[in-house]
């Protein structure tokens, strides 16, 4: 009769072992919201490298911490994430170089190519023109640290405005476009014209992201994450497809198993 006992004990062992460890799912624990010190709490689809596990979010949403600020790399530059609205799927960011450099001169066009991000409806561009032989037009932002008596560098809000001012960008060695937001209702344009371009860039810009929302998983007590490039909801009892409320196969198995093993 002894050979009959062994598989039975194994099953009991399996049920106890699995159901107990699953009650503190490691992936659920690993994906708890964290912050870099300053700034917003970070969770799915974002994740902090060295602090979260990569399965807590998508690769494009990888964040690193620098001087306690959350940094995301887009278009080969570092941006500080100042705020995240998980509800609106949007986040506010500022070029890190704005705080680092005393002569900010972006040299590459900003691009959202190959990112899951898109501009907010408030997006307008801000343009840098370098080493122009013509003088900067009115209502532009001179970049003194990058200008000489013969070659002028400046920033401006709109390319069309330069045309209107009869300014030919052909007189410049290079030009670069970076993102900026402008909201007709919130922003006072004459106020913006009084700022310098570093202060303008410090205001930052918003991007939004597309993809599965975390709200149903979140409100059911779960934490969103990614498995095999697919959305999953990590719950205290293990991963689920969408929400912790739907019973997983393992959960049903465990409940039956537990009720069987508890009974004499
Ligand atoms: C981050 O989460 C903690 C705990 O839920 C909360 O106390 C804190 O206010 C949050 N911080 C921000 C910036 O939202
Ligand atoms: C989210 O969107 C709503 C409606 O567009 C807006 O009123 C609200 O300010 C936004 N919240 C954040 C944090 O961006
Ligand atoms: C993202 O921004 C675009 C452009 O303004 C807008 O059409 C879209 O609804 C926004 N998406 C979200 C999730 O807010
Ligand atoms: C502007 O000209 C200076 C001097 O010729 C050069 O060193 C610099 O790289 C130029 N800047 C740009 C952005 O083209
Ligand atoms: C630029 O501003 C100056 C002084 O404010 C003014 O005299 C001049 O007419 C303006 N030029 C143009 C093209 O608007
Ligand atoms: C631009 O050039 C056109 C044609 O030469 C002229 O009529 C117009 O007044 C100029 N605009 C400005 C702002 O100087
Ligand atoms: C940025 O884009 C503009 C317009 O597409 C282009 O004319 C310019 O050469 C680009 N600048 C750089 C530095 O590549
Ligand atoms: C821009 O203006 C701010 C004050 O609003 C000042 O502290 C800062 O030094 C200025 N930066 C440059 C590059 O002129």
């Amino acid at each position: 009769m002894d050979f009959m006992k062994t598989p039975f004990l194994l099953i009991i062992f399996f049920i106890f072992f699995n159901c107990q460890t699953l009650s503190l799912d490691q992936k659920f624990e690993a994906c708890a919201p964290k912050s870099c010190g300053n700034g917003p709490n970070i969770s799915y689809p974002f994740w902090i490298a060295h602090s979260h596990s990569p399965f807590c979010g998508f690769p494009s949403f990888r964040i690193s911490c620098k001087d306690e600020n959350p940094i995301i790399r887009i278009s080969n530059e570092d941006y500080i994430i100042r705020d995240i609205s998980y509800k609106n799927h949007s986040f506010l960011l500022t070029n890190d170089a704005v705080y680092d450099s005393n002569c900010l001169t972006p040299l590459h066009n900003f691009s959202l190519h190959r990112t899951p991000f898109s501009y907010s409806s408030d997006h307008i561009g801000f343009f840098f023109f370098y080493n122009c032989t013509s003088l900067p037009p009115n209502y532009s932002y001179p970049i003194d640290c990058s200008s000489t008596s013969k070659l002028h560098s400046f920033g401006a809000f709109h390319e069309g405005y330069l045309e209107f001012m009869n300014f030919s960008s052909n007189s410049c060695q290079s030009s670069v476009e970076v993102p900026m937001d402008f909201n007709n209702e919130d922003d006072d344009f004459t106020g913006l014209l009084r700022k310098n371009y570093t202060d303008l860039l410090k205001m930052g810009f918003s991007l939004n992201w597309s993809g599965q929302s975390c709200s149903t998983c979140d409100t059911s007590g779960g934490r969103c994450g990614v498995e095999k490039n697919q959305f999953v909801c990590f719950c205290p009892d293990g991963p689920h497809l969408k929400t912790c409320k739907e019973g997983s196969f393992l959960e049903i198995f465990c409940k039956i198993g537990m009720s069987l093993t508890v009974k004499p």
Side-chain angles (χ1 to χ4, degrees), residues 22-188:
L22 277 173
S23 64
L24 265 177
D25 186 69
Q26 287 178 348
K27 292 192 167 181
F28 174 79
E29 296 291 317
C31 296
K34 291 187 178 119
S35 92
C36 285
N38 295 326
N41 288 328
I42 310 292
S43 59
Y44 172 94
F46 297 93
W47 57 285
I48 305 179
H50 310 302
S51 181
H52 282 127
S53 298
F55 55 72
C56 298
F58 286 103
S60 321
F61 292 81
R62 181 186 188 274
I63 283 173
S64 56
C65 296
K66 182 184 163 196
D67 301 332
E68 305 210 325
N69 290 314
I71 303 277
I72 191 165
R73 203 162 169 80
I74 303 175
S75 197
N76 286 320
E77 296 221 40
D78 286 344
Y79 291 84
I80 298 182
I81 298 189
R82 288 164 41 208
D83 200 8
I84 300 176
S85 168
Y86 292 97
K87 189 168 140 270
N88 289 4
H89 277 208
S90 69
F91 59 119
L92 177 67
L93 49 177
T94 298
N95 191 335
D96 182 41
V98 174
Y99 303 98
D100 270 0
S101 156
N102 49 13
C103 181
L104 180 70
T105 49
L107 295 177
H108 309 285
N109 282 320
F110 183 84
S111 161
L112 289 178
H113 185 59
R114 292 194 188 193
T115 74
F117 311 126
S118 58
Y119 292 115
S120 82
S121 46
D122 291 341
H123 170 78
I124 57 166
F126 189 77
F127 299 84
F128 286 88
F129 296 91
Y130 296 114
N131 291 344
C132 310
T133 48
S134 331
L135 277 168
N138 285 0
Y139 306 119
S140 63
Y141 299 82
I143 305 172
D144 297 334
C145 61
S146 174
S147 300
T148 63
S149 56
K150 290 209 178 69
L151 293 174
H152 312 281
S153 298
F154 64 93
F157 261 114
H158 201 275
E159 281 175 314
Y161 168 71
L162 298 181
E163 272 168 44
F164 170 76
M165 294 299 282
N166 293 335
F167 182 90
S168 166
S169 53
N170 291 337
S171 87
C172 307
Q173 258 170 34
S174 63
S175 71
V176 158
E177 180 180 355
V178 300
M180 188 173 293
D181 286 355
F182 180 76
N183 186 308
N184 260 324
E185 281 157 28
D186 300 346
D187 295 320
D188 153 30

Side-chain angles (χ1 to χ4, degrees), residues 189-201:
F189 197 70
T190 51
L192 292 183
L193 287 172
R194 277 194 294 271
K195 287 185 194 270
N196 59 38
Y197 77 103
T198 341
D199 285 341
L200 279 183
L201 292 182

